[in-house]
Amino acid sequence: MTSSRDRILDAYADLLVIEGERHATLEAVAAQAGVSKGGLLYHFPSKHHLAEGLCDRLAALAAEDAHAMRTAEEGPARYYVRSSHYAGTPLDRALVAVSRLRQSGDAQARATIEAASNGWLAILHDVLGDLDVARAVKLIGDGLYYNALNRALGGLPLTTGADEGLLKVVDRIIEAAKVSRR
């Protein structure tokens, strides 16, 4: 069973994604979560604390994803590109919700997203050995994610990720980077 704290964060994330930061009031979050305003304030004494909780959630989910990326059998680059689609996962929802906070000028949201992005890039750089190659692979994945997110938010059918042709391009980029390091 989901805790009240998690239900509140879920409700806040959903409101941010669907309605935007201005509409994600404490009253709206409490109603969406099915808790009293007092119950919400018990867990999150202010809207700032609510945003902080969502940023902490994103940081934890991004760290889990970074671990999965680093240990992926297919390798981090293929994992990053293959998993760069919007599937409505907790990581997806937290990333989009915190992005909405960042759009409203929240400094912690900006720092949290930058830390996650830099972490994924650092893994690619470690494995590929070339920052420009790592950036190219990351930008392929980021572009796929942006496209999938726009489709999802626009009500269009979701794609299931990178196609094999694009993954073969990533394989060629990785191989070319290995050759140039020799």
Side-chain angles (χ1 to χ4, degrees), residues 51-72:
E52 187 176 76
L54 193 56
C55 287
D56 290 346
R57 176 185 272 184
L58 175 57
L61 291 168
E64 288 174 15
D65 187 65
H67 175 74
M69 181 180 169
R70 190 178 299 282
T71 60

Side-chain angles (χ1 to χ4, degrees), residues 2-181:
T2 306
S3 72
S4 294
R5 186 178 198 289
D6 285 335
R7 282 197 330 272
I8 292 166
L9 286 175
D10 290 344
Y12 185 47
D14 289 345
L15 283 167
L16 285 168
V17 170
I18 296 165
E19 302 290 336
E21 196 272 336
R22 286 188 307 162
H23 297 284
T25 63
L26 294 176
E27 293 80 8
V29 172
Q32 177 92 4
V35 300
S36 67
K37 187 172 178 187
L40 181 149
L41 293 173
Y42 172 79
H43 293 286
F44 302 100
S46 69
K47 199 167 180 186
H48 169 78
H49 288 94
L50 196 53
E52 187 176 76
L54 193 56
C55 287
D56 290 346
R57 176 185 272 184
L58 175 57
L61 291 168
E64 288 174 15
D65 187 65
H67 175 74
M69 181 180 169
R70 190 178 299 282
T71 60
E73 189 174 313
E74 66 189 320
R78 284 182 66 89
Y79 173 92
Y80 189 79
V81 172
R82 185 186 44 74
S83 65
S84 291
H85 60 93
Y86 183 86
T89 66
L91 176 59
D92 290 330
R93 289 178 33 241
L95 185 57
V96 174
V98 174
S99 292
R100 295 296 289 258
L101 289 173
R102 181 183 66 183
Q103 289 172 339
S104 70
D106 187 296
Q108 183 180 6
R110 186 187 75 246
T112 302
I113 289 172
E114 286 176 6
S117 181
N118 289 341
W120 290 314
L121 180 61
I123 293 168
L124 292 170
H125 185 201
D126 288 347
V127 170
L128 300 173
D130 182 309
L131 183 57
D132 291 330
V133 172
R135 287 184 62 239
V137 170
K138 186 168 181 309
L139 287 170
I140 290 169
D142 290 354
L144 285 168
Y145 193 83
Y146 178 78
N147 183 56
L149 179 60
N150 280 332
R151 292 181 64 80
L153 296 178
L156 299 171
L158 294 176
T159 59
T160 58
D163 62 30
E164 281 304 310
L166 188 52
L167 288 171
K168 288 179 183 176
V169 170
V170 170
D171 291 340
R172 291 196 316 256
I173 292 170
I174 293 167
E175 190 56 39
K178 288 178 186 175
V179 169
S180 71
R181 285 194 314 248

